[in-house]
Amino acid sequence: MNPIKIAVLAGDGIGPEVMREAIKVLRAAEKKFGFSVETTEAPVGWAGIDAAGKALPDATLALCKKSDAILFGSVGLPDRDPTIPKEERPERAALLRIRKEFGLYANLRPVRLPPALAHACPLTPERQGDGIDILVVRELTGGIYFGQPKKTEDLGAGNFRATDTLVYTTPEIERIAHVSFKAARLRRKKLTSIDKANVLENGVLWREVVTRIGKEYPDVALEHMFVDNGAMQLMLRPTQFDVLLCENMFGDILSDEAAALAGSLGMLPSASLGATSHGTTFGFYEPAGGSAPDIAGKNLANPIAQILSVSLMLRYSFGLNAAADGIETAVTKAIGAGNRTGDIFSAKESGARKIGTREMGDAITANI
Ligand code: NAD
């Protein structure tokens, strides 16, 4: 197999320090599982502005275009962002631009709470069962965030009318449904499709299309759930869920609600997938959190979200499932052995040891 080509964009704040650990783990997995990766680093965010005058420098975009996947850190610095126009700021000029440029339509947010981190979860232990393990799949390019018309009209006398349009077409629902069913096949083979079919025309179409696509995946158990009930069930009995399939806005909300169950942003990776060709799916992999300037450069950040982004990349872009499993198991083992960065540390937990970013990276690498 030719080497996999990865663009590594560490970005700002904690980005470079957590990325260093992720690459360390990637190299260990490469050796152990016998695949080959070529990584090329490039600046993005404020690092891009400082190096080349733009949050997404042309050379960085060109590198992404010749790569098979992008491994991304985080961008943005709250004390510098307001000093430049909104459209030039890192999140808009780099992140949103990349999403658009590469047609990233499927956002995958796994939320896993290992039993050893029960104390970090806001739910009582009996609601956590044997540990929470959910994958939220969110449609990322359609729905009410992008539908037209989208406008605010002046009605006079100080009154306005704001309009957003919720619109989905059959092919848009079909492609995100396929991503979700395929992801469920790699997991516990259960898919819960979220909609509001009792009120919204879109919900009716969503349910019809997902049911039809489901017939192509008879090994995956499909259920439908209204979004209001889904929000409640996530808090009451999160262990019932395997894959949750959501349209854009419902996914935006439910993925954050599910994320709260993992106890820390530092534990949460995410994948945004684009087109598939020749067995490889172009993907953008990043931690769910931001640049965390409050802890940047102090060896305090939790590198697990960035490390798990690597395992998502190996699984969803390249089908290297054994290597992805190996990384996830190494993370679970490092946590099981009591290693904790500050965000997941509790003084009440016996046997837990507070360590830094680098030491957590080392502990995980040692378990590959
Ligand atoms: P943030 O996610 O950076 O931080 C929120 C809190 O979570 C902070 O207390 C931080 O210390 C903590 N945290 C985040 N990641 C952590 C980790 N790996 N380990 C331990 N603790 C962690 O959100 P914010 O403070 O609202 O934003 C900071 C900057 O990041 C802003 O400029 C924002 O625009 C940007 N941002 C970027 C992205 C992205 O690149 N995708 C996402 C969100 C925010």
Side-chain angles (χ1 to χ4, degrees):
M1 184 172 163
N2 289 332
I4 294 164
K5 290 200 191 98
I6 308 293
V8 176
L9 317 185
D12 307 318
I14 61 169
E17 54 197 298
V18 292
M19 187 64 84
R20 200 175 310 125
E21 302 314 311
I23 298 298
K24 208 192 273 175
V25 172
L26 174 63
R27 291 294 172 215
E30 183 184 20
K31 231 185 247 160
K32 166 102 189 225
F33 294 95
F35 58 92
S36 174
V37 184
E38 199 178 284
T39 57
T40 310
E41 294 179 22
V44 72
W46 278 101
I49 296 172
D50 292 341
K54 279 208 255 185
L56 184 64
D58 298 343
T60 300
L61 181 60
L63 168 72
C64 293
K65 285 184 177 166
K66 18 178 241 218
S67 302
D68 302 313
I70 304 171
L71 189 59
F72 195 87
S74 48
V75 291
L77 294 172
D79 56 339
R80 294 184 71 185
D81 292 348
T83 64
I84 55 173
K86 277 200 185 94
E87 56 283 2
E88 291 171 26
R89 292 179 196 167
E91 276 197 80
R92 241 194 234 203
L95 259 183
L96 296 187
R97 172 88 198 279
I98 288 176
R99 264 192 204 173
K100 201 164 168 204
E101 187 75 38
F102 294 97
L104 304 173
Y105 67 91
N107 184 229
L108 275 58
R109 295 257 303 257
V111 174
R112 188 170 288 146
L113 179 78
L117 289 186
H119 64 87
C121 178
L123 296 187
T124 53
E126 47 286 9
R127 292 202 194 282
Q128 299 174 24
D130 296 329
I132 294 163
D133 186 0
I134 302 170
L135 175 69
V136 181
V137 178
R138 167 185 170 195
E139 201 289 328
L140 206 53
T141 51
I144 200 164
Y145 293 171
F146 299 101
Q148 292 297 334
K150 190 177 203 52
K151 60 183 176 184
T152 303
E153 296 156 276
D154 190 342
L155 301 179
N159 294 318
F160 294 86
R161 175 169 50 215
T163 306
D164 296 282
T165 305
L166 173 50
V167 54
Y168 270 108
T169 61
T170 306
E172 283 175 305
I173 305 170
E174 285 172 346
R175 67 178 179 173
I176 194 75
H178 280 296
V179 168
S180 307
F181 281 108
K182 284 182 184 145
R185 271 191 171 158
L186 294 175
R187 296 169 48 93
R188 301 192 305 280
K189 300 190 173 58
K190 181 176 176 192
L191 178 66
T192 306
S193 177
I194 297 291
D195 63 44
K196 190 73 183 161
N198 49 345
V199 180
L200 298 175
E201 288 297 309
N202 259 274
V204 174
L205 182 65
W206 187 272
R207 196 171 277 221
E208 274 171 21
V209 174
V210 173
T211 303
R212 173 165 53 76
I213 299 299
K215 298 207 164 59
E216 296 176 38
Y217 301 85
D219 51 326
V220 177
L222 168 66
E223 67 172 3
H224 300 278
M225 196 177 275
F226 296 137
V227 61
D228 41 350
N229 186 28
M232 197 169 68
Q233 292 299 326
L234 266 175
M235 292 299 106
L236 293 178
R237 211 162 56 82
T239 52
Q240 72 186 281
F241 295 118
D242 179 13
V243 176
L244 269 179
L245 162 61
C246 308
E247 62 87 48
N248 202 344
M249 184 166 67
F250 294 163
D252 191 7
I253 298 166
L254 292 192
S255 63
D256 269 23
E257 187 191 356
L261 300 174
S264 169
L265 272 176
M267 296 294 296
L268 292 164
S270 98
S272 301
L273 307 181
T276 301
S277 67
H278 309 297
T280 296
T281 299
F282 189 88
F284 176 84
Y285 299 88
E286 59 170 340
S291 62
D294 52 329
I295 54 168
K298 297 178 182 160
N299 198 38
L300 290 175
N302 186 346
I304 291 178
Q306 190 77 65
I307 289 168
L308 291 176
S309 304
V310 171
S311 76
L312 284 182
M313 175 180 81
L314 297 178
R315 194 185 299 287
Y316 289 103
S317 275
F318 308 114
L320 293 165
N321 295 324
D325 289 345
I327 292 176
E328 286 163 21
T329 304
V331 168
T332 306
K333 280 189 183 160
I335 289 172
N339 296 295
R340 304 279 185 271
T341 42
D343 57 314
I344 51 174
F345 177 78
S346 160
K348 289 191 210 126
E349 215 195 335
S350 66
R353 196 171 53 257
K354 199 184 211 173
I355 58 171
T357 310
R358 211 172 299 116
E359 295 71 31
M360 182 62 100
D362 289 342
I364 294 167
T365 307
N367 278 299
I368 295 284

